[in-house]
Amino acid sequence: MRTDTGQVFKLEDYRPNDYLIPETSLTFRLSPEATRVTAELTVERRDGVAASVPLVLDGDGLTLSRIAIDGRTLAPMDFFATPDQLTITTPPAAPRFQLLIETELAPAHNEALMGLYRSSNVYCTQCEAEGFRRITYFLDRPDILSVYTVRIEARHHEAPLLLSNGNPAGSGELADGWHYAVWHDPFPKPSYLFALVAGALGKVADSFITLSGRKVDLGIYVEPGKERLAGYAMDALKRSMKWDEEAFGREYDLDVFNIVAVSDFNMGAMENKGLNIFNDKYVLADQETATDADFANIEAIIAHEYFHNWTGNRITCRDWFQLCLKEGLTVFRDHEFSADQRSRAVKRIAEVRTLRAHQFPEDQGPLAHPVRPRRYREINNFYTATVYEKGSEVVRMIRTILGADTFRAGMDLYFQRHDGEAATIEDFIKVFEDVSGRDLSQFSLWYHQAGTPNLTISSTHNAAAQEFTLEIEQSVPPTPSESRKRLMHIPLAFSLVGADGKAIAYNGVEGASVEDGVIHIRKRRHMVRFSGVAERPAMSLNRGFSAPVTLSVEQKADDQFFLAGHDDDTFSRWQAFNTLLTDSLISAFRQVLGGKRPNFASRLTDLAGKIAGDETLEPAYRALALALPSEADIARDIGKNIDPDAILSAREALTAAITETNSEIFSRLYDRLADKDAFSPDAASAGRRALRNILLDYLSLLPGSAALVARHFQSATNMTDRAAALTVLALRHSGSPEAVKALADFEAKYATDPLVMDKWFQIQASVPGPQTIHAVRALTGHPAFSMANPNRVRSLVGTFSSANQTGFHRADGEGYRFFVETVLQVERRNPQLAARLATALRSWRSLEPARQAKAREALLSIANAENLSADLRDIVERTLA
């Protein structure tokens, strides 16, 4: 485990390395305890670099067995090797030479799951961000692009399948039951995209004919016996390949494309060139074991990793500060793919909910950083919602500002100009400036400045003058190391909605640039006057969530209710109702703190029933609308002195009020939505199930409803309905005979399926209240649970600490004590996973004083632990700062 070195890497310090490695040849002699890696590197000194400049290569815990240059073994005085670095003190005078390095690894003992390791007897690799240096000494940075040839040798009975990047270039038998395979990738790539897989795996095979008529062989490799579960992933892959050709003109470039699903993986998936390695939860699915959300995630993540072939692989990032260049851009692409495959309106609402749940708190807390960070101590900790989700929103704003056609022209130029290069954010912005003729320098602050901008908006209407005025003021709150903020360019989509629900036309506008229904906010304050507006309109603002901002709008409740029922922008319609719910919940929270019983406006609870029964709306939209803001959402909007118990009470009170008002409507609709057709994971079918299951949650509050939920569980023909019913029983009827039986039946049925058992752990970790900590502690000893497996840890410990506000934030601090013990235990094996878990306390300062003190004590306990990894120390110290 690499402990903290204290080194801070800064964007301003970037400079190209003195050396390049244009060609890399690797030979692996695989063994669980002693794998031998022979790296033959073609090294080139850059023009103008003196021959006396040492060659310094990165390592991480390596054991050097042999080193030679141009066939000559180096004397000890010619190099200096530690486990973490190799220095050639006197490189050859020639500008190009061959460097041979031999290292020895023990994959079976690599529990950090970085570099080369074993997962269920399968050798696999994970090299992003800095895992390749755990395999061999190298210039392990993204701007060193190399053409790789890889030879893999293994015992045939142990690893009949041998895979790496690129195209197959040969295979054969060796002595003593060994065999080999050679792979060659003709496209230069950085070391983080290297991949190797070897083992006994089942295969699902297919092919794809590209736009130019080339045949690409496709393979998805899974544990033997699970091949039938990879069909949806293969279908998603083929749809992704076709979509990228149509939407972005990007054709696949190798002869083969392989995906391997493994059970031990720190991330969701990895886009290694031609050989994607996936967490098996994002590949394996059928109606019996996967929910509709699982199917949607598989579709999106398969697409995301495939799309990286161009945005990440063919064009990579110059340095890790540019991480958003590949991740934010590719998230935007996978969002667009999913929107085209499913419902664009529903997908947009889901995207915004995710952004607000994960990225907004990041921007508001001690871990805030720009989309392109300026400094880091541990790059693994910057695979964040800011880089991914906010990064995607920045790309979306570019399209909003320029229009779809000009945006596509800019993307075409980006691919043409930078193919085969390691690019920067400046390169990306420049192509859009060149195709549009616009100056995007102010807009670029979205990449360089942390924090979520806020727009304060008020309006006046002068009926006599037929003039409607919007006063808009922008501000960005201070964030760590950034107390003073510069003015942003914010594209605010809007409509002036009349009494008939249609947009009101206006004759002219002054005070800001307004184009195609978008107000371009560039100054601190704008007075935007619309002339020719006879009636007072309702303001529909940030339509489609055109900018990732918060709004403080002086708007009458009547207007919000009107927009919630009539706005023709589906996102804004949802937002209006969600704002009404949030405001009511915050008011109820304050009533609970004051010892009062919450009360809610009847027209709010009535509106919930109208939305539920509105057949003009998609069922998936209605399900999203009826899903109340989460406890974490409410806490974020309250901002400080958070009492999670009071928030839960307020939320439960509103749920009960909506149920009481609409029980007959909900019951009839629940019965009408019962599945009569064969299961399909398509968006429309999934939407109907989503609506029926959220109605079940409301109906579960009625007297005697446990029997209804139990019948739903017992009659379920798919995992979506079964897991939904189990969740309702566990959360609404905890400890009841029906809940106890359902949990036991679920466990007995799926005890041998780890991915389904993850759902069982997750549901129990979600049960609100102070008693859940005892169940979670007990479940860490369950035979199906393992602290060594990231999926198990995330399902139980991650869910409890991040998604159970009342359980984790128990007033006596017991949740925090369990958290400290667990994080430190996980860190001994897997520092990266421990660091991710530790982010659960990023908003500790928003808690009420007593809980805040206990949370700080927990963070200090971690910070004071001996031999803390760089990953975990970085998160904890920034959280405490």
Side-chain angles (χ1 to χ4, degrees):
M1 181 177 73
R2 185 176 56 180
T3 54
D4 188 22
T5 63
Q7 183 177 2
V8 175
F9 299 89
K10 298 179 180 180
L11 174 60
E12 64 198 52
D13 294 336
Y14 170 83
R15 71 178 186 86
N17 196 274
D18 293 322
Y19 291 89
L20 300 170
I21 306 177
E23 296 176 13
T24 297
S25 178
L26 300 171
T27 299
F28 289 81
R29 182 83 171 173
L30 294 175
S31 171
E33 303 292 333
T35 288
R36 187 174 70 242
V37 182
T38 304
E40 299 176 72
L41 312 178
T42 299
V43 181
E44 286 184 357
R45 187 181 296 108
R46 287 187 187 269
D47 292 342
V49 175
S52 59
V53 174
L55 171 62
V56 182
L57 303 179
D58 302 303
D60 186 356
L62 293 176
T63 299
L64 178 66
S65 303
R66 182 183 169 209
I67 181 169
I69 291 181
D70 293 334
R72 178 182 64 86
T73 299
L74 293 191
M77 67 185 67
D78 295 330
F79 69 95
F80 179 72
T82 70
D84 298 338
Q85 194 174 82
L86 173 62
T87 301
I88 314 296
T89 52
T90 54
R96 184 182 178 101
F97 57 91
Q98 299 298 123
L99 173 62
L100 182 146
I101 300 170
E102 190 174 286
T103 53
E104 188 170 294
L105 316 174
H109 299 287
N110 181 358
E111 293 185 303
L113 311 184
M114 290 291 291
L116 176 67
Y117 64 96
R118 296 256 285 175
S119 172
S120 301
N121 297 319
V122 174
Y123 296 92
C124 62
T125 57
Q126 171 56 33
C127 292
E128 188 176 357
E130 296 176 339
F132 190 75
R133 65 186 64 187
R134 296 171 65 92
I135 295 172
T136 188
Y137 294 101
F138 202 77
L139 293 175
D140 190 15
R141 43 188 285 171
D143 60 348
I144 300 297
L145 307 183
S146 190
V147 173
Y148 283 71
T149 301
V150 180
R151 177 185 172 99
I152 310 168
E153 301 175 1
R155 294 179 181 87
H156 202 291
H157 75 274
E158 181 183 72
L161 175 72
L162 306 174
L163 300 175
S164 191
N165 309 90
N167 296 319
S171 61
E173 300 299 319
L174 299 170
D176 301 323
W178 287 65
H179 72 133
Y180 75 92
V182 177
W183 291 80
H184 177 70
D185 184 357
F187 296 95
K189 64 174 177 286
S191 53
Y192 79 85
L193 291 173
F194 168 78
L196 176 153
V197 172
L201 293 167
K203 180 181 181 180
V204 176
D206 208 327
S207 62
F208 180 81
I209 305 301
T210 68
L211 195 62
S212 65
R214 290 175 50 251
K215 180 184 177 184
V216 179
D217 291 326
L218 308 177
I220 298 182
Y221 295 88
V222 299
E223 289 182 24
K226 295 184 177 180
E227 293 87 348
R228 65 181 180 81
L229 299 176
Y232 190 78
M234 180 63 81
D235 176 66
L237 172 60
K238 295 178 73 173
R239 285 186 282 122
S240 302
M241 298 176 80
K242 182 173 178 58
W243 183 89
D244 209 18
E245 291 181 339
E246 295 172 347
F248 283 90
R250 297 301 100 196
E251 183 176 325
Y252 187 63
D253 48 11
L254 291 168
D255 300 333
V256 299
F257 185 85
N258 290 320
I259 290 173
V260 177
V262 298
S263 57
D264 300 284
F265 205 67
N266 278 339
M267 301 183 180
M270 180 61 210
E271 70 267 20
N272 317 296
K273 179 73 175 179
L275 178 56
N276 288 187
I277 299 179
F278 270 66
N279 187 321
D280 58 2
K281 72 179 291 185
Y282 298 119
V283 172
L284 305 176
D286 68 0
Q287 74 180 75
E288 180 62 29
T289 60
T291 64
D292 290 325
D294 292 329
F295 279 103
N297 283 333
I298 288 169
E299 180 180 81
I301 295 173
I302 289 281
H304 179 95
E305 304 307 328
Y306 174 75
F307 297 154
H308 266 312
N309 187 58
W310 278 93
T311 50
N313 297 2
R314 287 286 289 264
I315 306 176
T316 191
C317 45
R318 185 196 70 179
D319 50 69
W320 290 122
F321 298 101
Q322 321 294 330
L323 181 59
C324 61
L325 182 59
K326 73 181 188 76
E327 294 301 348
L329 175 56
T330 305
V331 169
F332 169 77
R333 279 158 43 77
D334 84 56
H335 282 176
E336 286 297 292
F337 167 76
S338 294
D340 284 344
Q341 300 295 304
R342 294 175 174 263
S343 162
R344 181 167 289 273
V346 170
K347 183 69 173 70
R348 188 60 182 145
I349 295 168
E351 289 163 7
V352 174
R353 287 181 67 128
T354 298
L355 181 83
R356 288 174 172 166
H358 299 287
Q359 197 281 320
F360 275 23
E362 199 165 80
D363 249 351
Q364 295 167 4
L367 301 181
H369 62 85
V371 174
R372 181 174 71 178
R374 289 186 295 276
R375 63 183 66 82
Y376 65 81
R377 191 162 67 182
E378 176 50 67
I379 187 56
N380 287 330
N381 291 335
F382 282 84
Y383 287 76
T384 62
T386 297
V387 166
Y388 281 69
E389 307 303 333
K390 189 175 180 179
S392 169
E393 294 299 319
V394 176
V395 176
R396 184 178 298 277
M397 285 190 288
I398 294 174
R399 189 180 65 174
T400 297
I401 291 169
L402 301 184
D405 291 342
T406 304
F407 175 79
R408 171 61 191 271
M411 288 301 304
D412 288 346
L413 180 58
Y414 178 65
F415 293 129
Q416 174 189 339
R417 182 179 287 177
H418 297 292
D419 185 18
E421 295 181 357
T424 66
I425 291 301
E426 285 74 17
D427 295 327
F428 184 65
I429 290 294
K430 185 68 164 59
V431 299
F432 295 107
E433 291 183 324
D434 288 350
V435 297
S436 68
R438 296 195 186 211
D439 179 358
L440 296 176
S441 56
Q442 185 184 14
F443 176 82
S444 296
L445 288 174
W446 282 101
Y447 282 111
H448 309 317
Q449 186 165 264
T452 302
N454 177 260
L455 297 178
T456 301
I457 303 174
S458 61
S459 65
T460 56
H461 180 245
N462 186 328
Q466 296 192 357
E467 184 176 86
F468 183 72
T469 302
L470 287 177
E471 183 174 353
I472 305 172
E473 184 172 350
Q474 68 160 294
S475 61
V476 185
T479 54
S481 76
E482 286 183 0
S483 58
R484 301 187 66 179
K485 302 290 186 176
R486 290 176 286 176
L487 296 175
M488 311 282 278
H489 175 186
I490 301 172
L492 183 71
F494 77 103
S495 180
L496 307 181
V497 184
D500 58 358
K502 297 179 181 178
I504 294 176
Y506 50 87
N507 297 333
V509 61
E510 61 181 41
S513 172
V514 178
E515 305 172 47
D516 301 320
V518 176
I519 303 171
H520 292 271
I521 299 165
R522 295 184 174 91
K523 299 188 298 182
R524 175 79 62 196
R525 185 179 291 103
H526 288 268
M527 296 289 288
V528 187
R529 294 182 175 86
F530 299 89
S531 58
V533 181
E535 63 171 301
R536 189 187 72 82
M539 297 181 292
S540 176
L541 299 170
N542 209 21
R543 290 161 67 85
F545 201 68
S546 60
V549 300
T550 57
L551 300 179
S552 301
V553 184
E554 290 184 14
Q555 191 166 35
K556 296 179 180 179
D558 288 347
D559 284 353
Q560 291 178 332
F561 276 97
F562 174 76
L563 292 172
H566 298 91
D567 200 321
D568 62 359
D569 180 89
T570 310
F571 171 81
S572 293
R573 185 172 183 171
W574 169 83
Q575 181 60 70
F577 184 54
N578 194 256
T579 299
L580 289 167
L581 293 172
T582 300
D583 291 348
S584 294
L585 285 164
I586 292 174
S587 176
F589 164 78
R590 291 178 178 138
Q591 289 171 345
V592 170
L593 287 181
K596 299 177 182 178
R597 181 179 177 180
N599 58 80
F600 303 96
S602 59
R603 62 173 176 169
L604 177 66
T605 56
D606 288 343
L607 182 55
K610 290 176 183 176
I611 291 172
D614 189 343
E615 298 293 342
T616 67
L617 300 171
E618 292 179 75
Y621 169 85
R622 288 182 269 166
L624 281 172
L626 291 172
L628 298 186
S630 72
E631 293 158 57
D633 291 335
I634 302 163
R636 183 188 67 244
D637 286 343
I638 294 171
K640 60 183 179 179
N641 289 319
I642 300 303
D643 181 336
D645 296 330
I647 290 177
L648 177 64
S649 295
R651 196 171 184 274
E652 294 295 281
L654 179 54
T655 306
I658 291 173
T659 302
E660 183 179 355
T661 302
N662 301 289
S663 59
E664 292 184 9
I665 297 171
F666 285 1
S667 184
R668 288 196 302 270
L669 186 55
Y670 170 82
D671 291 338
R672 195 163 69 243
L673 286 166
D675 257 343
K676 298 179 179 64
D677 301 322
F679 176 85
S680 170
D682 67 276
S685 301
R688 289 191 294 271
R689 283 188 290 272
L691 179 55
R692 188 168 192 255
N693 285 325
I694 199 165
L695 292 172
L696 177 68
D697 184 50
Y698 280 103
L699 294 171
S700 72
L701 297 181
L702 297 175
S705 61
L708 168 69
V709 186
R711 287 196 300 273
H712 189 112
F713 176 82
Q714 292 157 3
S715 64
T717 60
N718 57 79
M719 181 53 71
T720 301
D721 289 338
R722 188 172 293 115
L726 184 62
T727 301
V728 173
L729 283 170
L731 273 63
R732 300 293 188 195
H733 299 279
S734 180
S736 70
E738 293 88 350
V740 171
K741 183 179 186 304
L743 284 166
D745 290 349
F746 194 96
E747 178 188 16
K749 185 178 180 67
Y750 299 108
T752 59
D753 191 321
L755 293 179
V756 181
M757 286 301 290
D758 282 344
K759 303 180 195 306
W760 188 75
F761 288 126
Q762 186 175 4
I763 289 167
Q764 293 178 84
S766 301
V767 176
Q771 76 288 347
T772 301
I773 180 62
H774 306 300
V776 172
R777 278 191 183 276
L779 287 169
T780 61
H782 191 278
F785 183 81
S786 170
M787 284 289 184
N789 182 277
N791 284 349
R792 304 300 90 77
V793 173
R794 284 187 286 255
S795 68
L796 183 63
V797 182
T799 298
F800 176 71
S801 58
S802 295
N804 189 334
Q805 297 295 304
T806 54
F808 180 53
H809 298 292
R810 248 177 70 141
D812 65 359
E814 184 60 24
Y816 303 147
R817 285 188 284 275
F818 166 75
F819 180 70
V820 171
E821 296 165 16
T822 308
V823 167
L824 292 176
Q825 183 181 350
V826 169
E827 192 228 14
R828 290 195 288 271
R829 288 189 176 93
N830 193 328
Q832 190 176 129
L833 178 59
R836 296 287 174 89
L837 290 174
T839 62
L841 279 176
R842 66 189 173 192
S843 300
W844 66 276
R845 283 189 176 86
S846 67
L847 295 165
E848 50 83 17
R851 284 180 171 89
Q852 188 179 128
K854 290 181 172 62
R856 182 175 183 275
E857 182 181 341
L859 287 165
L860 288 171
S861 295
I862 297 174
N864 292 331
E866 294 184 356
N867 299 317
L868 214 57
S869 67
D871 305 67
L872 184 54
R873 182 170 297 281
D874 173 53
I875 290 293
V876 172
E877 290 187 352
R878 284 196 288 137
T879 303
L880 283 166

